[in-house]
Amino acid sequence: MQHLPNDTFDVALDQFGQIETVYGDPGFPAAKDVWGGNDTVTATVTELNTRLTIFGDDHTMLLGHSQGGNDTLIADIGGGWNTTLVVGDAQSMIDDAKGGNDTIVADAGRTIYTTISAFGDVAGDISGNAQGGHDDIMGSIAWRGGANLFAGDAGGSMMDTSRGGNDTLDVSVLTTDGGATVSGDAIGSLRGLAHGGNDSLTVALNGDSVISAGALFGDSATSLMDLAQGGDDVLTVKLNGQNAEAGAQMYGDAPTMAGNSHGGNDILNGGAGRDFMYGDARVYEPAAPGSITGGADTLNGGAGDDRMWGGGNSDFFVFDTGSGNDTIVDFDQGNKAVGSTAVEHDLIDVHAYGFADWTALSSLISDNAAGDAVVHLSANDTITLDGIQAANLHPTDFII
C-alpha cells in the first residue's frame, strides 16, 4: 500500500473576499490502495467575505482499500460574512475505503454572518462497505450564522453496508441569535444496510435569548430507511444563561424512520431550557405494521419544561430534582406509532425525589381537566402523561 507523506500547511486569509482551498494530500492518487498522510492544516481568517475549504486528504473519492490519514484541521475564523467547509478526508468513499481518525476545530465564535460546515470524513456520500473514522469535531457559532452543519461522517448520505465511526462532536452556539445542526453520522439519510456509529454529541447554547437553538441527531439529520440501523448515541444539551425558553430538538436516531429501520439504544440529556426529545424519531413510515424497531432509550430532560417521546420499544424516563413541568407524550404508547402490537413497558425514574414508597408517590398523582395523569413531584415539578389516566398507573411503572 502506498503511504503519502505527513504534511503541514499554514494558511492566512487576510484579504477581503479571499478564496482558499487546502488539501492535506493534494493529487491523492485514484488508486485502490493508498493511505493518506497524517497532515496538519492551520488556517487563520482575519478578513471579511472569505471562502475557506479544507480537505484532510483531497477533493476525491476514496476507493478500494484506500484510507484517509489521521489529520488535524484547524480553522480559526475571525471577521464576518465568511463561509468555511472542513472535511476530514475526501469528497466521498466507496468499496472498502476507510476514513482517518481526524481532529477538526472550526472556531467562528468571534464573527458575524458566518457559515460553517464540518464533516468528519466526506463532504458527500459514503457507500459500498466503506467505513468512517473515529473523529473529534469541535465548533463554535457566532451571531446570525447561516446553516451551520456538523456531522461525524458524511455531509451527504450513507448507504449499502457502510458504517459510521464512533465520533465525538462538541459545538457551542455562543450568540443570542444563532443555531447549529449536529448529526452523529450523516446530514443526509442512512439507507440500505447502513449502520450508524456510537457517537457522542454535545451542544452548548447561549441561554440569554430564545433565538439560540440547536438540533441534535444521533445518526441522520434526515431519515433512517430500508434496513438501516442507528448507533447507540449520547446526546447532551447545555444551556449557558438564564432564559428557560431557549432549547433544542433532540432525536436519538433521525427525524423520520421508514421501511424496516432499527433505532439505536440512545441516551438523551436535555438542558435547562425547553427541549423536544425523541428517543427514536418524530415521524414513522413502516414498510409493514411493526417493521420499524425503536431502541431502548433513556431520556432525561434536565431542568425546564420539556416534551418527550420515547418511541417504540420500552424506554426509560429520568427526572432529577428541579426537572420542571414535563410531558411524556407516548408513555407505553410508542409501539402504536409503528403499528406494533408488542407489549411495551416504559419506566419513570423519580428516585431523586426521595419518595418513601408507592403509597407516598401515588397520593400525588391525579388527572387534570383533560383526563391525563399528572405526577406532582414537588411544588414546581410535574410530569404529565398524555393519554394515560392516574388509575392506569402501577408501582411497576416507576423507580422510586
Side-chain angles (χ1 to χ4, degrees):
M1 177 176 288
Q2 180 183 359
H3 289 254
L4 301 179
N6 303 329
D7 302 309
T8 299
F9 300 92
D10 292 296
V11 179
L13 281 72
D14 53 7
Q15 300 178 39
F16 180 88
Q18 186 174 350
I19 299 174
E20 194 74 38
T21 301
V22 187
Y23 305 111
D25 296 301
F28 196 101
K32 294 186 176 182
D33 297 294
V34 179
W35 196 309
N38 301 328
D39 307 307
T40 300
V41 177
T42 302
T44 304
V45 179
T46 56
E47 259 295 351
L48 305 177
N49 200 32
T50 67
R51 300 292 183 269
L52 170 65
T53 302
I54 303 174
F55 281 89
D57 293 293
D58 200 354
H59 188 194
T60 188
M61 177 184 289
L62 297 187
L63 305 166
H65 291 87
S66 291
Q67 182 166 331
N70 302 326
D71 304 309
T72 299
L73 312 176
I74 300 172
D76 184 5
I77 308 164
W81 289 271
N82 301 306
T83 301
T84 297
L85 169 65
V86 185
V87 181
D89 295 293
Q91 176 62 30
S92 61
M93 294 196 302
I94 197 170
D95 301 330
D96 292 293
K98 292 183 179 180
N101 303 325
D102 305 307
T103 299
I104 296 175
V105 179
D107 179 7
R110 306 178 308 282
T111 67
I112 59 174
Y113 292 103
T114 290
T115 300
I116 296 175
S117 297
F119 309 126
D121 295 290
V122 301
D125 297 334
I126 299 178
S127 58
N129 195 42
Q131 181 171 326
H134 306 316
D135 305 307
D136 291 327
I137 301 176
M138 291 157 281
S140 60
I141 307 304
W143 193 66
R144 292 198 175 182
N148 300 290
L149 303 176
F150 299 84
D153 297 288
S157 297
M158 294 174 56
M159 58 199 79
D160 303 327
T161 57
S162 61
R163 189 178 184 95
N166 302 328
D167 306 306
T168 300
L169 296 90
D170 192 339
V171 177
S172 296
V173 180
L174 303 176
T175 175
T176 59
D177 189 357
T181 296
V182 182
S183 176
D185 293 288
I187 298 299
S189 62
L190 266 65
R191 55 184 186 264
L193 291 167
H195 197 305
N198 303 327
D199 306 306
S200 176
L201 287 64
T202 301
V203 171
L205 300 175
N206 186 318
D208 292 330
S209 169
V210 299
I211 307 176
S212 178
L216 294 77
F217 309 88
D219 298 287
S220 165
T222 306
S223 62
L224 262 63
M225 305 170 62
D226 305 325
L227 289 166
Q229 182 165 335
D232 300 334
D233 307 305
V234 179
L235 287 65
T236 301
V237 172
K238 299 178 180 179
L239 187 65
N240 301 317
Q242 302 299 316
N243 198 312
E245 295 297 320
Q249 297 184 45
M250 309 174 70
Y251 301 83
D253 295 288
T256 299
M257 292 178 63
N260 298 274
S261 56
H262 297 260
N265 302 323
D266 305 307
I267 299 173
L268 282 65
N269 300 307
R274 185 185 299 274
D275 302 311
F276 292 80
M277 311 174 71
Y278 303 85
D280 298 301
R282 183 181 69 246
V283 176
Y284 299 93
E285 300 172 352
S291 63
I292 294 174
T293 302
D297 305 307
T298 300
L299 288 75
N300 184 337
D305 300 341
D306 310 303
R307 291 180 67 83
M308 308 177 187
W309 292 258
N313 212 333
S314 298
D315 301 302
F316 192 42
F317 299 90
V318 181
F319 297 88
D320 297 324
T321 55
S323 59
N325 299 305
D326 301 319
T327 301
I328 301 176
V329 182
D330 65 348
F331 184 76
D332 280 347
Q333 303 167 81
N335 281 340
K336 293 181 181 178
V338 299
S340 172
T341 59
V343 176
E344 182 177 358
H345 187 199
D346 294 335
L347 280 174
I348 301 174
D349 184 349
V350 295
H351 179 74
Y353 284 86
F355 295 108
D357 50 30
W358 168 245
T359 300
L361 176 61
S362 62
S363 67
L364 301 174
I365 304 176
S366 59
D367 292 333
N368 60 18
D372 299 323
V374 181
V375 184
H376 298 271
L377 299 172
S378 71
N380 299 310
D381 302 335
T382 63
I383 307 169
T384 299
L385 306 178
D386 271 3
I388 300 294
Q389 295 183 328
N392 296 329
L393 295 173
H394 305 90
T396 54
D397 295 320
F398 294 86
I399 296 176
I400 301 172

